[in-house]
């Protein structure tokens, strides 16, 4: 075959014409004639065999990849338990709570885990069914609510946790309802609350949150009346934390009613900052809770002989004493870790030094733990403590 515009070369052109000539007889063993594609493939194979390679094939270039150095986590690994020995119960869930096919919304998950990052803080929260409830097939009595109200720097983050009364059938429902009511109350007032936190109006915050808490627990008592149960059986402790999203505001507000714990890890040391409630004990003294010894006219009052006063039909029966309201507003520092928890974790923290040391080592790392690591930390078991555990920790950047 000649180049375009070139002269015929004789043999090459004859060969090319034979390739495309339908009259040429097929020389293969097959009875059917070759197609045009078959002839072209055969010719290409012959030409390639005759053409010598200009240079030997080169091996593919070697690419050197340098992997980034692996940095070890400065925090020590978590452990299954601390203390004198392993707890009695199994470390994993054994039995599920009974279910009602007509009320599946009443079921409570064994574990709840959540987290977020706003402003200068990182939040981790978890609620875990206790070893005893896992073994007996009882629902988790603790309830956890994490919610953000508002947007941008004016947003307000609420963490609420509640614990239902022990050995009552509706304890988990009462705890969930308590979190629901306080969440609704805070959400409707979040703009004013966020403004008071930024302006450091401590008195307004305390009185306002006290009213919101009283109303929420009052609705819980109303629900008990509707259900026809004793208010003491359909009751719950309630502990809440307010975190402003404004990075310029480091005020953290705690409030609530009932047992639990509020701790702060600062400079490698745990501080128990649970608000103390001063109880009045002992006999009344003049000027402090007792009536005056005489009237303004100078008449001496008669002695109280201790005769019980008959109840009046016009006065309601006295209510049982209620848990006092607890409140604390504190300014966080970079590097602080604030921990709010229910009694299931607060009690072993106050009673087992090994757990305190372990969490100190785990949570003193430069970065907060991930969700899975935080859950493992809150599940470190201690013999003798088998209640539900709910905890929310805040790391300050």
């Amino acid at each position: 075959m000649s180049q375009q515009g070139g002269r015929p070369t004789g043999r090459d052109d004859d060969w090319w014409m034979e390739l495309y000539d339908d009259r040429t007889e097929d020389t293969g063993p097959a009875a059917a004639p070759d197609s045009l594609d078959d002839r072209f493939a055969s010719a290409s194979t012959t030409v390639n065999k005759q053409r010598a390679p200009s240079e030997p094939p080169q091996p593919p270039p070697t690419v050197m990849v340098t992997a980034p150095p692996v940095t070890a986590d400065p925090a020590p690994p978590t452990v299954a338990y601390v203390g004198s020995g392993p707890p009695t119960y199994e470390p994993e869930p054994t039995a599920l709570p009974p279910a009602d096919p007509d009320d599946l919304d009443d079921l409570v998950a064994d574990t709840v885990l959540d987290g977020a990052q706003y402003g200068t803080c990182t939040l981790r929260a978890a609620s875990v069914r206790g070893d005893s409830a896992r073994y007996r097939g009882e629902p988790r009595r603790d309830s956890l609510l994490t919610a953000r109200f508002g947007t941008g720097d004016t947003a307000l983050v609420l963490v609420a946790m509640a614990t239902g009364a022990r050995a009552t059938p509706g304890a988990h429902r009462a705890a969930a309802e308590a979190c629901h009511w306080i969440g609704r109350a805070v959400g409707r007032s979040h703009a004013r609350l966020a403004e008071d936190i930024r302006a450091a109006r401590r008195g307004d915050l305390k009185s306002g949150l006290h009213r919101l808490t009283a109303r929420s627990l009052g609705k819980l008592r109303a629900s008990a009346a509707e259900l026809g149960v004793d208010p003491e059986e359909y009751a719950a402790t309630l502990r809440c934390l307010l975190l402003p999203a404004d990075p310029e505001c480091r005020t953290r507000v705690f409030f609530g009613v009932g047992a639990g714990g509020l701790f702060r890890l600062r400079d490698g040391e745990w501080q128990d900052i649970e608000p103390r409630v001063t109880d009045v004990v002992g006999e009344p003294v003049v000027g402090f809770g007792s009536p005056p010894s005489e009237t303004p006219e100078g008449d001496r009052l008669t002695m109280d002989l201790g005769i019980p006063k008959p109840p009046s039909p016009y006065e309601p029966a006295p209510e049982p004493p209620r848990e006092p309201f607890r409140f604390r507003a504190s300014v966080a520092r970079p590097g602080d870790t604030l921990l709010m928890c229910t009694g299931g974790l607060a009690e072993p923290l106050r009673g087992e030094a090994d757990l305190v040391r372990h969490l100190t080592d785990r949570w003193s790392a430069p970065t907060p733990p991930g969700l899975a690591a935080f859950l493992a930390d809150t599940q470190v078991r201690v013999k003798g403590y088998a209640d539900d555990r709910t905890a929310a920790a805040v790391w300050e950047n």
Side-chain angles (χ1 to χ4, degrees):
M1 182 177 64
S2 62
Q3 298 292 331
Q4 183 177 2
R7 298 181 61 185
T9 58
R11 182 177 179 275
D12 289 342
D13 288 343
D14 293 341
W15 173 83
W16 188 257
M17 291 299 295
E18 291 177 1
L19 176 64
Y20 286 89
D21 188 0
D22 292 339
R23 296 171 299 176
T24 305
E25 295 294 334
D26 183 40
T27 59
D34 289 343
S35 65
L36 181 61
D37 292 338
D38 294 336
R39 295 185 181 185
F40 181 79
S42 176
S44 299
T45 302
T46 304
V47 172
N48 290 336
K49 288 181 179 180
Q50 294 176 355
R51 183 179 300 167
S54 58
E55 59 182 6
Q58 299 294 329
T62 301
V63 180
M64 302 297 295
V65 179
T66 303
V70 179
T71 57
D73 186 359
T78 189
V79 296
Y81 66 89
V82 294
S84 59
T88 304
Y89 297 102
E90 294 292 331
E92 299 296 337
T94 302
L96 290 171
D100 182 354
D102 297 323
D103 191 14
L104 295 179
D105 292 338
D106 190 52
L107 295 178
V108 180
D110 176 89
T111 303
V112 176
L113 185 63
D114 206 351
Q117 184 172 353
Y118 287 99
T120 60
C121 66
T122 300
L123 171 66
R124 298 286 182 262
S127 183
V128 182
R129 190 163 54 135
D131 291 345
S132 176
R134 283 177 165 181
Y135 176 78
R136 302 176 187 277
E138 299 172 351
R140 176 167 48 89
R141 293 186 297 118
D142 279 7
S143 182
L144 173 66
L145 171 69
T146 54
R148 172 182 60 87
F149 303 106
T151 59
D153 291 347
T154 61
L156 187 65
V157 176
L158 166 70
V159 182
M161 55 186 65
T163 302
R166 190 183 299 273
T168 56
H172 61 291
R173 289 190 291 269
E177 190 174 341
C179 290
H180 170 83
W181 286 120
I182 196 63
R184 176 178 292 186
V186 170
R188 291 175 174 176
S189 306
H190 76 274
R192 174 64 185 273
L193 290 171
E195 180 182 351
D196 288 344
I197 293 175
R198 289 193 298 269
R201 302 189 185 105
R202 187 180 183 280
D204 293 343
L205 280 170
K206 184 176 182 179
S207 59
L209 292 173
H210 193 176
R211 288 194 299 271
L212 295 182
T213 304
R215 292 173 186 172
S216 300
L217 296 181
K219 292 180 180 296
L220 199 62
R221 289 189 290 272
S223 297
E226 294 176 359
L227 296 172
V229 299
D230 190 336
E232 295 301 314
E233 294 182 1
Y234 198 78
T237 64
L238 181 63
R239 308 177 69 78
C240 304
L241 194 61
L242 294 179
L243 308 172
D246 188 353
E248 300 299 324
C249 180
R250 288 187 177 268
T251 302
R252 312 296 180 231
V253 177
F254 161 80
F255 66 97
V257 171
L262 185 66
F263 305 91
R264 180 171 57 201
L265 179 60
R266 173 174 288 178
D267 298 330
E269 297 290 338
W270 280 103
Q271 303 169 357
D272 191 341
I273 59 174
E274 175 79 8
R276 302 302 179 188
V277 178
T278 303
D279 297 326
V280 179
V281 296
E283 297 296 330
V285 296
V286 175
F288 192 79
S290 63
S293 59
E294 59 184 20
T295 65
E297 291 77 14
D299 296 332
R300 300 287 296 179
L301 298 178
T302 57
M303 180 184 303
D304 184 5
L305 301 177
I307 301 175
K309 180 181 178 182
S312 172
Y314 306 103
E315 297 180 1
E319 295 184 357
R322 298 177 183 174
E323 291 282 352
F325 177 73
R326 300 173 187 267
F327 173 88
R328 184 183 184 97
S330 58
V331 179
R333 300 178 187 175
D336 283 357
T337 300
L338 183 66
L339 173 64
M340 178 182 70
C341 56
T342 57
L345 183 58
E347 291 177 5
L349 276 175
R350 294 189 176 110
E352 182 55 62
D354 289 344
L355 181 60
V356 174
R357 285 191 289 267
H358 178 71
L359 292 184
T360 301
D361 295 338
R362 289 282 299 168
W363 292 356
S364 296
T367 57
L371 291 179
F374 177 76
L375 177 61
D377 293 338
T378 58
Q379 287 184 294
V380 175
R381 305 160 71 221
V382 182
K383 189 172 184 178
Y385 301 94
D387 285 341
D388 298 347
R389 291 185 180 184
T390 302
V394 180
W395 278 261
E396 299 290 341
N397 302 329

